Amino acid sequence: MTYIATFFSHFGALRFRKNCESLGIPAVNMPVPRDLSSSCGTCTRFEADAVPDYTAHRDELEKIVKITESGFETIYETEE
């Protein structure tokens, strides 16, 4: 499955991508798709069977969505 994680800072996106790669999960940083909003404008797109543990980055993570045929399905969203 393909997921997109959005962040409050560019640094958070970079750290998350490196964490995914250390777990063997293919990931790439890219601009946030127009349909999603993000504080920093950078997201991490990754391919995984399940969402990796993101608790270490929870303070930087804004949202994780799964890409579906009909759009985006929210998996996690920070409470404000």
Side-chain angles (χ1 to χ4, degrees):
M1 290 185 218
T2 304
Y3 298 91
I4 292 178
T6 62
F7 303 88
F8 295 112
S9 70
H10 182 72
F11 180 71
L14 294 174
R15 283 184 56 192
F16 189 86
R17 179 186 54 81
K18 287 184 179 188
N19 183 57
C20 285
E21 291 175 346
S22 72
L23 296 171
I25 298 170
V28 62
N29 286 348
M30 58 185 245
V32 175
R34 188 176 302 253
D35 293 345
L36 299 175
S37 64
S38 174
S39 297
C40 74
T42 302
C43 69
T44 302
R45 180 180 176 140
F46 59 98
E47 301 282 334
D49 293 330
V51 177
D53 180 23
Y54 53 82
T55 54
H57 308 288
R58 187 168 291 202
D59 58 330
E60 299 167 348
L61 184 62
E62 182 179 21
K63 183 187 294 187
I64 296 177
V65 299
K66 178 170 60 171
I67 299 175
T68 66
E69 289 183 17
S70 60
F72 300 106
E73 177 185 329
T74 301
I75 303 299
Y76 169 83
E77 189 165 12
T78 300
E79 296 177 19
E80 303 232 10

